[in-house]
Amino acid sequence: MKVILALTGLGVLAMLAELFRMRKIVYPLMLAGLAACIGIAVSYWWLDDGPWSRLFSSMILFEGSSVVFSVIILTTAFLWFIMSGDFFKGENSRTDHAVLVIFSLVGAIILTSFSNMTMLFLGVEILSIPVYVLAGANKSSLASNEASMKYFLMGSFASAFLLFGIALVYGGTGSFDLRDIGLAINSAPGGPAAFVYGGIVMMIVGLLFKLSAVPFHFWTPDVYEGAPTQVTAYMSTVVKTAAIVTILRLFLTIVFAGVDTFWIPILAVCTGLTFFIGNITAAVQENVKRMLAYSSISHAGFLLLAVVAFSSFSAKAIIYYTAAYSIASIAAFTVLINVASQSGKDGVDAFNGLGKKNPLLAMAMTIALLSLGGIPPTAGFFGKYYVLNAALNSGHVWLTVIGILASLVGVYYYFRIIIAMYFKEAEGDHVIAANNVHQALLFITAVITLVLGLLPDLILNIGTIAASGPVAVTP
């Protein structure tokens, strides 16, 4: 797939820029390169035989869902780079940070298009290892170093579970190829071997860790709080999107669809716990960064709910939800970066009076929080509506009720920030300002959030393609 090769080449160019002491061109090079990669991904729609591409002996298969999710991930990364300009200003680290992010994106794109378990594992590791390092990018901060170590250790255990699960599935089916695995499971007399079920459980453990879903979420608050805010935003958007795409390709396709009666109850319980714990713990947080960490756990619950719904609409619901969630998260973290860096605080009280100090920041944060909370007319409302509708139509009434209650709790803690911005007096007379780049980014994200909320079919029509292809959604 050309996007993987282009991103790899972009990472190599960044390393060469360091070698030839051309660090100043790295940041604009990354922006231009990502824009080109988005164009390459989009260009697959105009191929004569449709959006298809095979790579590495068909171990990578770039089809409908791969195109859509690749565009979402790359667009999110492009916006993230715009948001994170200060993260690349350090003379001794700008190249390192850029290279780590770009190679992490290579892993994310692999996870949108793998058709072989070997590439699944490679994609997870290529995505994760650079992020372990990025979490500790603030070398002078003990919290950042601790976050990196925690993420690395917990991630290593999760990868071990994933790899052992892949080995068990291979032992029971005799193949690493997704289609062959699905055919072996569906055609086995009396069902697949018992240890295949054990392999599926272990793979669920490894993937739910990447998604930061309960009960494998314990690392999330500490790592999100300790890591640089820009890295937290990256983990909350790109990494989470790649994780749910991986789960979608395994569980909503021919691969494990034949044993859905086994894994749906497991994911259903994890989804209910994710809703409950994610929202209750977020509601009692005073630190906004930590609050967003726990709220991201809740959003993982909605993404899992779409998988549990196990319908032909699930893929489209996930596409819409990831797009809406990523855009809103980028906006929220952009505002948080400006407020925290200029006030020296990242608690809820740091936002007191922001509506008067900087109306643009307050407006952008309000729209982002309304979207994350699922309030119309923002994109987040339809994101939650489509997921809950899919779950209800699939008969998961109890999970739908829990999801609605979770949304109500989410409205409470998101509105705490909105109330602080508009109804509380600011502490001190310092001005909260944003540079022109951040102002433009916030304006763009606000417009996208409102447009997607008013015209949801823009994404849904594209999402229809995601259910096509040789690893198509089964239901």
Side-chain angles (χ1 to χ4, degrees), residues 69 73 111 207-208 210-211 237-252 267 299-308 314 318-319 321-322:
F69 282 112
I73 287 173
L111 291 178
L207 294 173
L208 291 190
K210 299 300 179 186
L211 191 62
T237 53
V238 172
V239 175
K240 193 175 291 290
T241 301
I244 194 61
V245 176
T246 307
I247 294 172
L248 184 152
R249 289 183 74 82
L250 290 175
F251 293 93
L252 285 184
L267 289 186
H299 289 289
F302 280 99
L303 293 170
L304 277 180
L305 182 58
V307 177
V308 172
S314 293
I318 291 173
I319 287 172
Y321 200 100
T322 52

Side-chain angles (χ1 to χ4, degrees), residues 208 212-218 269-271 273-275 277-278 297 300 304:
L208 291 190
S212 64
V214 177
F216 311 105
H217 68 292
F218 295 104
V269 171
C270 291
T271 301
L273 291 174
T274 301
F275 280 142
I277 294 177
I297 295 173
L304 277 180

Side-chain angles (χ1 to χ4, degrees), residues 6-25:
L7 283 172
T8 303
L10 188 60
V12 172
L13 284 176
M15 290 190 291
L16 291 175
E18 172 73 18
L19 182 63
F20 292 105
R21 301 185 181 279
M22 300 173 66
R23 299 186 183 97
K24 291 184 179 180
I25 71 167

Side-chain angles (χ1 to χ4, degrees), residues 33-119:
L34 281 174
C37 288
I38 294 171
I40 292 172
V42 172
S43 70
Y44 277 89
W45 297 119
W46 287 273
L47 292 178
D48 292 337
D49 55 350
W52 303 90
S53 177
R54 299 175 185 271
L55 197 64
F56 306 131
S57 300
S58 296
M59 295 170 70
I60 293 289
L61 182 62
F62 202 55
E63 34 78 34
S65 63
S66 306
V67 174
V68 177
F69 282 112
S70 292
V71 171
I72 291 174
I73 287 173
L74 291 170
T75 302
T76 302
F78 182 80
L79 297 175
W80 180 88
F81 264 93
I82 295 175
M83 176 193 77
S84 307
D86 291 342
F87 191 59
F88 300 97
K89 285 186 176 179
E91 187 65 25
N92 297 323
S93 60
R94 69 175 66 174
T95 305
D96 298 341
H97 293 164
V99 170
L100 289 168
V101 173
I102 291 299
F103 282 131
S104 176
L105 283 173
V106 172
I109 300 302
I110 289 175
L111 291 178
T112 69
S113 54
F114 70 92
S115 61
N116 188 287
M117 289 291 191
T118 305
M119 297 309 297

Side-chain angles (χ1 to χ4, degrees), residues 408-430:
L408 294 177
V409 177
V411 169
Y412 162 73
Y413 57 77
Y414 289 132
F415 265 78
R416 286 182 62 199
I417 302 175
I418 296 175
I419 291 171
M421 290 191 296
Y422 292 103
F423 298 101
K424 292 188 177 181
E425 292 297 326
E427 299 177 3
D429 56 356
H430 59 275

